[in-house]
Amino acid sequence: MHTKPSVYALTLAQWQTYCTQHGFKPFVGKQLYTWLYQRYAYLDQMHNLPKAFKERLADDFEVRPLEILERQQSTDKSVKYLFKTSDGHSFESVYMVMQEAQEGGTAEKITLCLSCQIGCKVGCVFCATARGGFVRNLDAGEIVEQVVALKRAHQLEPTKGINIVFMGMGEPLHNLTQVVRALEILSAHEGLNIAPRRITISTSGVVPALQTLGALNLGVQLAISLHAVNDTLRSKLMPINKRYNLETLINALKAYPLDTRKRVMFEYLMIRDLNDSLSHAKELLRLLNGLKAKINLIPYNSTPHSSFERPPLERVQDFANFLNQKGLLCTIRISKGQDIAAACGQLREKCLNDSKHL
Ligand code: SAH
Ligand code: SF4
């Protein structure tokens, strides 16, 4: 954790208050905001800010950027980054180039996959992040800075529309306060200006926090990591299911306030001979009956130390065809960056195993 608050952790209004409190014009706060979010600048590049303000800023805030420890480029243009925090831990973010359906065809869209924790407490058996144990939450500034660092690294125009998915390391609903604070900064018009509907929070199903998130009505998209259609298997794969079982989770989703156009996205990891048969697909239909849902099938990304395997593609396609024929919208996620250990936690795990950085 930063010993000082991060320079990326404040809203414009908070900067303006800070300026007034320290004898600077609120306008300086606006200038700083522009440097941070429109120019992705470092403190020493902010040449039009008063020197006294910059000195004060360096005293009161963590202004050192996240360090890039590793950068892995995939053949599909995805790039995975391993960042080092100021207290010496590491976590991952992924820059992805996706095809997005648009009127008259598809268009390339950048999606940034962010982490919200170093490690994770949920402990899903298939997940590389879980194997590293839990280290700590990322704070709002560290979450926001991932976007700035990736936009800077790829020289994205400030106005270029991007999608954000909280599908990196960690469980967003175990760090809701910092995630919500980060959402406010990410979506601020004067800053990164990312529309909430372009931001997806993915969760393993922490029901009480889901209710809190729903009540905040932030307009962000929701993704649920489902992965199994009965409690026996889900509890084996995802220990959180012992606390909040499928019935509790589905009931919470039925009560979740959703814009009439929106559907809850369910992520369904397909693991060979475990949850990939047509009888599972039938159970899935039954389970989601009455919910506005769409399914994203994710063929399992094999990780070291795991006995799980990816099913043959035809089996995934049969599963998807069955659901689509029955009217449940279903897509297959051809994992980005398969050649670069794309499921989050894998690059960090690899580096920890190689004792490369830590
Ligand atoms: N903790 C949240 C968000 C981070 S995980 C959650 O679980 O939803 C993001 C997604 O990656 C989840 O759907 C998770 O189940 C999936 N995932 C984890 N390990 C994976 C692997 N080895 N292959 C494919 N997807 C994986
Ligand atoms: Fe945590 Fe998500 Fe990994 Fe489960 S899949 S251990 S909730 S990061």
Side-chain angles (χ1 to χ4, degrees):
M1 195 75 72
H2 298 309
T3 45
K4 296 190 257 185
S6 160
V7 77
Y8 294 101
L10 268 61
T11 60
L12 178 58
Q14 287 166 332
W15 277 122
Q16 288 170 329
T17 307
Y18 172 85
C19 288
T20 315
Q21 280 169 349
H22 295 91
F24 299 99
K25 296 239 159 55
F27 176 67
V28 175
K30 181 83 197 322
Q31 283 178 311
L32 172 66
Y33 220 68
T34 305
W35 279 117
L36 291 175
Y37 298 118
Q38 307 289 321
R39 311 283 295 273
Y40 326 130
Y42 302 116
L43 188 62
D44 57 3
Q45 297 172 316
M46 303 179 185
H47 56 77
N48 64 351
L49 296 186
K51 189 163 172 277
F53 178 74
K54 288 207 272 187
E55 283 167 4
R56 179 92 225 190
L57 206 62
D59 282 347
D60 291 347
F61 291 90
E62 179 56 74
V63 293
R64 275 177 303 169
L66 282 170
E67 192 184 322
I68 297 175
L69 285 178
E70 285 275 333
R71 187 180 182 282
Q72 284 190 344
Q73 170 106 41
S74 153
T75 45
D76 69 9
K77 297 195 207 164
S78 305
V79 187
K80 186 170 210 173
Y81 290 86
L82 186 70
F83 288 114
K84 184 176 172 187
T85 61
S86 56
D87 58 350
H89 297 295
S90 59
F91 69 88
E92 303 175 8
S93 316
V94 192
Y95 171 94
M96 297 180 288
V97 184
M98 318 277 274
Q99 292 301 321
E100 196 177 72
Q102 281 203 342
E103 242 175 82
T106 57
E108 242 182 33
K109 192 86 192 179
I110 305 301
T111 297
L112 307 182
C113 177
L114 307 186
S115 290
C116 63
Q117 297 183 309
I118 301 175
C120 184
K121 284 183 185 165
V122 180
C124 303
V125 293
F126 48 80
C127 176
T129 297
R131 271 194 297 278
F134 176 72
V135 180
R136 70 166 173 85
N137 284 332
L138 293 178
D139 64 27
E142 289 169 317
I143 295 171
V144 172
E145 192 178 350
Q146 295 170 58
V147 177
V148 175
L150 295 180
K151 288 189 85 172
R152 182 194 288 129
H154 292 268
Q155 300 181 336
L156 297 188
E157 288 291 324
T159 51
K160 183 162 175 61
I162 53 170
N163 295 324
I164 300 284
V165 294
F166 280 86
M167 294 187 185
M169 295 171 70
E171 169 50 59
L173 298 192
H174 276 166
N175 187 17
L176 191 58
T177 307
Q178 296 301 319
V179 168
V180 169
R181 200 174 284 175
L183 291 176
E184 193 185 349
I185 300 166
L186 293 174
S187 57
H189 293 305
E190 319 81 11
L192 290 161
N193 196 20
I194 303 166
R197 70 188 164 80
R198 295 234 161 248
I199 303 178
T200 301
I201 306 260
S202 173
T203 177
S204 57
V206 189
V207 169
L210 196 59
Q211 287 158 341
T212 311
L213 179 69
L216 291 171
N217 220 346
L218 300 173
V220 293
Q221 311 276 353
L222 187 63
I224 303 290
S225 293
L226 193 65
H227 306 334
V229 287
N230 60 65
D231 282 321
T232 314
L233 179 61
R234 195 164 191 268
S235 295
K236 267 188 204 151
L237 295 175
M238 307 176 70
I240 197 160
N241 194 71
K242 292 179 200 151
R243 190 114 183 241
Y244 310 112
N245 66 12
L246 280 169
E247 191 187 356
T248 312
L249 177 61
I250 298 293
N251 285 339
L253 292 171
K254 285 185 175 156
Y256 190 86
L258 269 182
D259 188 295
T260 45
R261 284 174 298 117
K262 281 189 203 157
R263 294 166 191 264
V264 177
M265 144 105 85
F266 287 88
E267 292 158 278
Y268 190 88
L269 201 58
M270 293 206 70
I271 307 174
R272 186 175 186 148
D273 299 333
L274 209 62
N275 64 359
D276 60 345
S277 73
L278 285 185
S279 71
H280 293 114
K282 278 181 200 146
E283 271 191 79
L284 186 57
L285 267 182
R286 209 160 31 85
L287 185 70
L288 302 186
N289 187 24
L291 266 177
K292 279 185 82 143
K294 61 183 173 192
I295 308 280
N296 199 357
L297 300 179
I298 316 170
Y300 179 69
N301 239 326
S302 60
T303 63
H305 326 292
S306 160
S307 53
F308 295 137
E309 283 176 39
R310 170 183 289 236
L313 191 58
E314 312 81 73
R315 207 162 161 87
V316 180
Q317 264 154 356
D318 288 348
F319 199 101
N321 290 343
F322 176 81
L323 294 178
N324 279 319
Q325 275 158 15
K326 297 285 180 190
L328 182 56
L329 191 64
C330 179
T331 51
I332 301 172
R333 185 190 303 165
I334 301 302
S335 277
K336 290 274 138 189
Q338 281 181 27
D339 51 332
I340 57 164
C344 264
Q346 290 182 40
L347 177 59
R348 175 167 177 270
E349 186 177 51
K350 181 174 170 295
C351 290
L352 285 172
N353 287 342
D354 299 350
S355 305
K356 251 170 119 172
H357 305 289
L358 299 168

